[in-house]
Structures are given as C-alpha cells and as structure tokens.
Amino acid sequence: MAFGLDVSDLSIEALKLNKRFGKIKFSSAGRLEILAGIFTNGTVQKKKELAEAIRKVCREAKPHPIRDREVVISLPEARIFSYIFKFPKKLKQKQITDILKFEVPNVLPISVEEVYSDFLVLRTEGEKQEIFYAATPKKIIDDLREVLKMAGLEAVAFDIETASLARALIKKDKKDEGAVIVDIGARDTVIAIFDQSGIRASTTIKVAGNLFTEEIAKRLKMKQEKAEEMKRSCGLSVEDRSCREGKIFLALQSLFPPIISEIKKSIGYYEKQVGRKVKKIILCGGSRAMPGIVDYLRANLNLEVEIGKPYLAGSAAAGAAGAKILSSLIGVFGLAERGTDKDPASSGINLSFDLGGMSEGRHVAGNGGKKFFLSLLAVAALAVGGFLVLEKKEMITDLLFPAEPPTNQEIKKQDALPVSFDIVFSTTGEAGFLGGRIVEIEKSGSNFFPATAKKTVDGQAGGKVKIINNHTADMSLIATTRLLSAEGVLFRLKNGISVPAGSFAETEVYADAEGAVGNIGASQFTLPGLSPIFQKLIYAESATAMTGGTVEKTFVSADDIDQAKTKLLGGFILEVQKDKVENNLQTGELLLPVVLGSEIVEATASPAAGEAAAQFDFKLKAKIKFLAVPEENFQSSLRNLLDKDGLASNYALEEIAYSLVNFDETTGRAVIETSGLAVPAK
C-alpha cells in the first residue's frame, strides 16, 4: 500500500494507513517543520534539502518508521487549473478524450503541451454528463518526481489538496448532507460546499491567519511574535483580562465579516440551486482552534459548527496513540486513505497524464461510496485563484448544448460592482463627521455548560474476593474486617458476611488506603484479626485484579468558563441584533450591527473552576455597546459616496455588511467599514 505525503511551505506530514477486510486502521505517522524557502506554494525551490526532509520525516515516524516506497502526494489549489464541461450523455470515453483535445485549449491559460492533466465523469443528469478536467504545469510534477526519486520514493498519484481534505472530514455515510468546509490557512480562507455530488460551490478570499496576526499587532502595537501568541491563546474569546479585556476579540471581529458574508453567499447559492439544506460547517486550517471561533461562527450563522478531524480519529481502529496523532493530520489523511485503495493511481484525479495519452475506462463515476469521493475532486472548478479562467470561449459544446439565457436577476448580478467605504461617526457631536450615539444595553442570563477538564486522582481500589472457610464451624465476619494481600496491601470487607463450615462465599472488598497502591492483580489474602491457626483455615483469594485506585474525574476548568462566557456573550449580542432594540432607539435611528465594546458586570460559575463536576451553571451579566445612527443621514451619506463614483443614479446598494474598523473612546470616533454590491437599479 502507498502512504500519504503532504508537503507545504513550512512542514511535511507523512501518514500510513492499513486496510484489512475493508477496515482502515492507523499504522504510523510523522510531521517535520522545514525552513521557509525550500518549498513555496506548490513549487520546489531546493530539491536536495526537500528530499532529505522527506527521508527524515519517514525515518522518524511513530510508532515505527514508514518504509513503503510508493506515495500519494497532493498539489495546492493555487497550482491547479480546472473546468467542468457538459457533454452529451451518449458520448463514450474515447469520444470525450477527443473532444477535450479541442475544448481544453479554449479555456487553458497556457499551452496544452505544458501541462499534465486528467479528467473524470462526475455525474449524468438528463441527457448531459458533467466532465471534470484538471491540469497543472509539467514543471511542478517533474520537480516533485525528481525530489521523490532522490528520497527513494515514487508517486503513484498526484492528488488535489481539497479533495484529500474532503475525504478526511466527510464520512461516506454522511455524504447526502450539505456541508461547508471552511479552511482558514495562513494566506487564504477556502470556503467549499460538498454533498453527494461533490463540490457545489467554492470561493477563496484573502483573509486568513497571517492577516489576523497582522491586525492584532497593528491595533495593539505589539510585535508579530506576541500577536501570534495572543491570536492562538485568546482568539475570539471575550473579556478575558489576559486578552486585553476584549481588544483581541475586537481586532479579529473586524476581519471576520468578509468570511461570514462569503459563507452566507455560498450557502444561499447552494440551497437555491440544489434545493437541499446545509447541515453544518466544518472548520480546518491553522486557525481552526482559535478560542471562541466555533461559538462566534455558530452565533453569526445559526448553524452547527465543528472542528474538523479525520473520521477515523474517533474510532477504535485508530487506537489511543493514533487518535491523538490523526486529530492534527487532516490534509494528509485523505492522501493516506487513497493509498489504501487497491489501485490508488486510478481511484481519483491523477495529475500525471498528457491529454493525448489519457487511459480509457477509468474515468467513469458511478454510484458507489468511493465514487462520491471522486466527485469531490471538482473542488477547484469553482475556486477563486490558481489558474481558473472564468471567460468561456466558443467551443464545440456550445453547438451541442446551447447555453440557457440568464435571468434578469443574474444579469444584474453579473454587472454588480463590489464597493466598500470607511465612514467615520462621531459620538460626541464633532463637526465634519456623521453623528452617532452609543447605545449601551445590559443583558443577563445563565445556562448549564459541560465541564471538560480531566484529571487523574486517587480513588478507592476494590473488587471481589472469595472467602474460604475450611473450619468445622460457620464463620461470621463483620463489615470492615481486614484482609491483607500477599503484596502487603490492606483491604476491608464492604459488607458483613456469614460463611458456612467447609464452604465459601463471594463478597466485595475495598482498599484501606486511597491511591494506586490498591491496584493489585489476582492475589491471596489472610485475615490478620484471626489467630495464626485459624488464618490457615479461613482465608480469601481473588481471581481478578483490584481496580479503582486511580480514577479520572471531570473538573471545571478556566477554559470551560471562558468558553461559557464567550457563548453567553455571543448569544446576548445576537439577541440584541435580532431584536433591533426598538425600546433603546430614538425615532429615525438605525442600529448598526457592530459591537463597539462590552463590559462584564458579573460572572459566576457554580461549581467554580478547579472543582469536580460534570457540568456547571454559569451566570453572566454584561453591558454591550452598539452604535445608533440617524438613518436618513446615513443613507444620504451612502448615496453621496456612490455618487462620487458616478453610481448613485443607476445603482442600488445591496447585500450590505458592516464591520468595525476602529473605535477610539477618547475622541468618540468610530470608523465603520460599509461594503456591499452596487447592483444596477434597472
């Protein structure tokens, strides 16, 4: 079997899975950080250094080295060109290949001779079939092949990064559900919707981990290293004093509206086009574990949000050690899973063919579970970035299938212009700025939250023993009677017992002292309270081990309380935004859905942090500051800004989103970014 190998700008991950009788099990894995400049955005910069790093990660894999020679390796979306063609259903594989030779040059931004490519028949619908075509520059593949050869390896398949991600995160028996994968990387955030037909909508935006760090550093005037640390430890948690009393939250919150907006747009597009609801959002990428991010997205999107992890990580097949490792190896998991297939080279897109030399008969997608994952490979077809070409030239398929005329709404959307304005409001009546008023709303509430901290503590070991009475008279023993094991550990009877002469009786015992000392194996026991003669006639023995000397208990942690605080405060903010707080607004005012700041008035947890409990009751009272503005003045300002670009008379602003850029309590100025689409009015 082949193993999975994922090479990124700063790390290499290797994962080996085994498959027996259809069951996939964890075998071994390794991860190694590499220096910047060895491998950049899918291209090899230093072949010798990269080859040595690959050898090292395989050599140092745990629990044992990976010695297999064949690998499945992925390429990032930025290095992939892809396109979905629609051909007549009746076309055979050879005919599809022949037509692609004519079609591909019309959409490929570089010469066909300069790329390796592959294609799949995704699905058929009516009299049409969807063909997914993918290509990448030959130099990228050739350089990787050379590096792998230097490392003593050979690639059996060159996969697509997002396809591997989907294999890892979406379990086959859940493929009928719509799910959004939000991959927040260092440079980009990829938002992709998958269902049983594969990728249905995808987009990439330039708001991600590095920008989060830069924004924190800029706003709080700190070094990048400290900002990165604050991002990882504070994230979107609210009002934690170690997190600068919510300033980290406000810095990150200012960057999330584009992500929220794109997720909503993708979901809206999918649900309208497909007629199926999105069930959940799966987070992955380097920023997926920021504190508070799950609750923040859940509150703003009203959908279930979960941290992505390979489905095998939660199964017995992974084992204790494997589960921990797999939880952090998401991207490479899908590659390793493909490596367990009988023929991994043909079980998905394999970017190692010339168009003219594509093999026949292996590109048909059927209805089986594996074929669902083949269709996931269409991920780059709708992605923004890479080599994607949106302008379609005249093709043979235009003659076979004339395009349906777009609707008036689609025409308007095609002509829409993205606009964004920074508007400065003054809450002190300062001349030259739009007026605004701080609306401070106090909210309180409580809820029960699960405790998650685990701690091993001393317990009372115990088990069962057989009391043997070889005396000629019955023997009665009271509760707490002492029994001394062969190891010298003292136990006591849990209950009183009477043992008939020449017979035996089974009963429960417990260790006299708490702790691991009571965890002993099967043993023999004497009754030290009897005389030496009677000790030989009346004694005890156990057939099984005594357990419970150490137990794992659940405690309330500071992190649990922080998360509860974030959830409740996020809920308060959402409630205020939904209710529009008419009672707090004056006539003609508009409440902008941005938070200027918040103050925790009271917060109590019962039981408190550090106490043992399965759950705790958390009560919170907070004051939240919003900005109320005169609606007429605000709308007039927007029209004036549009008019500066010559848009006001012919365009209307739709899909408006607001985000806080800055709020200076000293001057009372609030800078609000207002963005949207300027759509033709007619």
Side-chain angles (χ1 to χ4, degrees):
M1 293 182 185
F3 69 96
L5 186 68
D6 184 34
V7 183
S8 64
D9 290 9
L10 299 175
S11 67
I12 301 174
E13 295 175 350
L15 174 64
K16 176 67 187 299
L17 301 174
N18 289 327
K19 182 188 286 186
R20 294 192 64 187
F21 307 111
K23 301 285 187 180
I24 294 178
K25 292 188 176 182
F26 170 76
S27 175
S28 192
R31 186 180 189 280
L32 179 70
E33 293 185 358
I34 59 176
L35 296 175
I38 294 178
F39 187 79
T40 305
N41 199 23
T43 60
V44 179
Q45 304 296 323
K46 298 179 181 180
K47 295 178 182 179
K48 184 178 178 181
E49 289 85 345
L50 184 57
E52 176 54 36
I54 291 172
R55 283 194 295 266
K56 184 176 181 181
V57 76
C58 294
R59 186 170 61 245
E60 297 180 358
K62 303 296 182 183
H64 51 75
I66 298 175
R67 304 188 186 280
D68 300 75
R69 188 167 180 270
E70 295 183 334
V71 302
V72 177
I73 191 169
S74 67
L75 299 173
E77 308 306 323
R79 313 309 297 170
I80 305 294
F81 163 82
S82 62
Y83 199 91
I84 294 180
F85 297 94
K86 286 188 177 181
F87 293 160
K89 179 181 177 181
K90 61 184 179 181
L91 293 182
K92 305 299 183 184
Q93 293 297 297
K94 179 63 167 64
Q95 293 172 306
I96 292 174
T97 303
D98 290 340
I99 291 179
L100 282 174
K101 293 176 184 177
F102 291 97
E103 296 282 14
V104 167
N106 291 308
V107 297
L108 198 64
I110 59 178
S111 169
V112 174
E113 287 73 26
E114 296 178 34
V115 300
Y116 290 120
S117 59
D118 198 3
F119 74 90
L120 289 170
V121 179
L122 290 180
R123 64 171 184 158
T124 58
E125 183 177 1
E127 294 301 314
K128 301 178 183 180
Q129 58 179 322
E130 290 184 348
I131 309 298
F132 172 69
Y133 171 83
T136 194
K138 286 184 176 180
K139 178 171 173 52
I140 292 175
I141 299 291
D142 291 341
D143 285 349
L144 280 172
R145 278 179 171 152
E146 184 179 347
V147 168
L148 291 173
K149 185 177 180 181
M150 292 168 64
L153 303 173
E154 178 184 2
V156 295
F158 289 89
D159 208 338
I160 298 177
E161 184 179 47
T162 313
S164 171
L165 200 61
R167 286 193 197 96
L169 298 177
I170 303 177
K171 204 172 179 182
K172 293 180 183 179
D173 59 5
K174 297 292 185 182
K175 61 180 180 293
D176 59 331
E177 296 181 354
V180 184
I181 293 180
V182 180
D183 182 7
I184 308 177
R187 297 189 184 94
D188 308 312
T189 293
V190 178
I191 301 163
I193 300 183
F194 293 86
D195 66 9
Q196 60 188 0
S197 298
I199 181 71
R200 302 309 299 254
S202 180
T203 187
T204 301
I205 57 177
K206 297 291 184 180
V207 179
N210 290 346
L211 191 59
F212 296 161
T213 304
E214 291 169 9
E215 185 69 12
I216 293 171
K218 180 178 71 175
R219 290 202 180 202
L220 278 72
K221 296 179 174 56
M222 59 175 60
K223 293 183 178 180
Q224 290 284 116
E225 294 78 8
K226 180 63 176 178
E228 178 70 19
E229 179 186 331
M230 297 296 279
K231 178 185 75 174
R232 294 178 181 275
S233 61
C234 298
L236 287 158
S237 61
V238 185
E239 295 299 333
D240 186 336
R241 294 195 176 278
S242 65
C243 296
R244 306 294 176 95
E245 297 185 343
K247 291 183 179 179
I248 304 297
F249 170 83
L250 292 174
L252 292 175
Q253 183 202 38
S254 69
L255 297 175
F256 264 82
I259 297 176
I260 299 292
S261 177
E262 288 300 331
I263 294 174
K264 288 180 177 178
K265 288 179 184 177
S266 297
I267 292 174
Y269 169 83
Y270 168 79
E271 293 183 345
K272 180 179 178 181
Q273 295 293 320
V274 181
R276 186 181 294 125
K277 292 291 184 181
V278 167
K279 298 289 185 178
K280 63 182 176 181
I281 293 172
I282 305 173
L283 284 178
C284 55
S287 295
R288 71 187 185 279
M290 283 197 308
I293 188 171
V294 169
D295 298 315
Y296 181 83
L297 292 178
R298 186 182 291 139
N300 281 275
L301 296 168
N302 198 28
L303 279 173
E304 180 59 33
V305 182
E306 65 182 45
I307 301 295
K309 64 178 181 180
Y311 61 83
L312 187 65
S315 71
K324 185 176 181 181
I325 295 172
L326 288 174
S327 294
S328 62
L329 300 181
I330 298 177
V332 74
F333 180 89
L335 302 172
E337 185 193 44
R338 179 171 176 173
T340 66
D341 290 342
K342 185 176 181 180
D343 183 11
S346 300
S347 60
I349 283 288
N350 189 353
L351 290 165
S352 59
F353 297 97
D354 289 310
L355 182 59
M358 288 182 178
S359 58
E360 298 182 26
R362 74 175 198 84
H363 301 287
V364 182
N367 297 321
K370 181 185 295 185
K371 298 303 181 184
F372 159 68
F373 285 97
L374 300 184
S375 68
L376 295 178
L377 297 171
V379 65
L382 298 173
V384 177
F387 297 124
L388 182 60
V389 175
L390 299 177
E391 179 182 357
K392 182 179 179 182
K393 299 180 182 178
E394 184 179 351
M395 304 184 201
I396 294 174
T397 47
D398 293 336
L399 302 176
L400 296 171
F401 287 107
E404 296 179 359
T407 64
N408 290 336
Q409 185 63 25
E410 288 172 338
I411 292 173
K412 288 174 65 178
K413 288 292 185 182
Q414 289 172 3
D415 294 333
L417 301 173
V419 294
S420 179
F421 313 109
D422 281 352
I423 302 177
V424 183
F425 296 87
S426 172
T427 61
T428 60
E430 187 177 357
F433 302 103
L434 281 179
R437 184 173 65 88
I438 295 175
V439 177
E440 188 173 75
I441 300 170
E442 186 171 282
K443 299 284 289 185
S444 60
S446 65
N447 207 342
F448 284 92
F449 296 91
T452 62
K454 304 292 184 181
K455 189 186 300 183
T456 300
V457 298
D458 288 344
Q460 205 93 40
K464 290 186 176 181
V465 299
K466 184 189 295 183
I467 306 291
I468 300 169
N469 181 10
N470 290 325
H471 191 40
T472 55
D474 297 346
M475 172 60 68
S476 293
L477 302 173
I478 64 171
T480 72
T481 295
R482 295 177 299 157
L483 287 83
L484 187 64
S485 74
E487 296 82 3
V489 181
L490 190 64
F491 286 79
R492 293 181 181 272
L493 291 184
K494 188 174 182 180
N495 302 298
I497 189 173
S498 180
V499 186
S503 185
F504 64 87
E506 196 172 64
T507 188
E508 293 185 40
V509 298
Y510 61 90
D512 186 59
E514 292 184 346
V517 66
N519 293 335
I520 64 172
S523 184
Q524 287 198 339
F525 302 81
T526 58
L527 278 67
L530 300 178
S531 66
I533 295 177
F534 280 103
Q535 286 180 15
K536 294 180 180 180
L537 297 174
I538 303 169
Y539 54 91
E541 59 185 29
S542 62
T544 58
M546 300 291 169
T547 59
T550 54
V551 294
E552 187 178 68
K553 285 191 175 183
T554 304
F555 287 80
V556 179
S557 70
D559 286 341
D560 292 333
I561 293 175
D562 286 343
Q563 290 184 24
K565 186 187 301 179
T566 300
K567 287 180 181 179
L568 278 181
L569 189 57
F572 293 169
I573 293 170
L574 194 61
E575 286 174 18
V576 172
Q577 292 175 351
K578 283 183 176 179
D579 296 342
K580 301 300 182 186
V581 293
E582 279 80 2
N583 295 336
N584 296 276
L585 295 179
Q586 299 172 1
T587 304
E589 280 189 331
L590 171 70
L591 184 75
L592 296 186
V594 292
V595 178
L596 299 181
S598 58
E599 176 188 351
I600 302 299
V601 178
E602 182 181 347
T604 57
S606 180
E611 295 184 21
Q615 63 176 6
F616 62 98
D617 182 17
F618 187 71
K619 295 181 173 64
L620 181 69
K621 180 186 290 186
K623 293 179 180 178
I624 308 167
K625 295 179 181 178
F626 292 89
L627 182 65
V629 302
E631 184 171 9
E632 185 176 345
N633 294 347
F634 179 55
Q635 296 297 343
S636 176
S637 177
L638 286 179
R639 285 193 296 272
N640 290 337
L641 289 168
L642 283 172
D643 193 44
K644 286 183 179 179
D645 295 328
L647 301 176
S649 59
N650 300 318
Y651 286 78
L653 194 59
E654 296 183 3
E655 300 184 17
I656 303 175
Y658 307 94
S659 61
L660 179 67
V661 177
N662 183 49
F663 175 57
D664 189 331
E665 293 188 52
T666 304
T667 63
R669 295 177 191 170
V671 183
I672 307 293
E673 181 186 37
T674 304
S675 58
L677 290 177
V679 179
K682 296 182 180 180

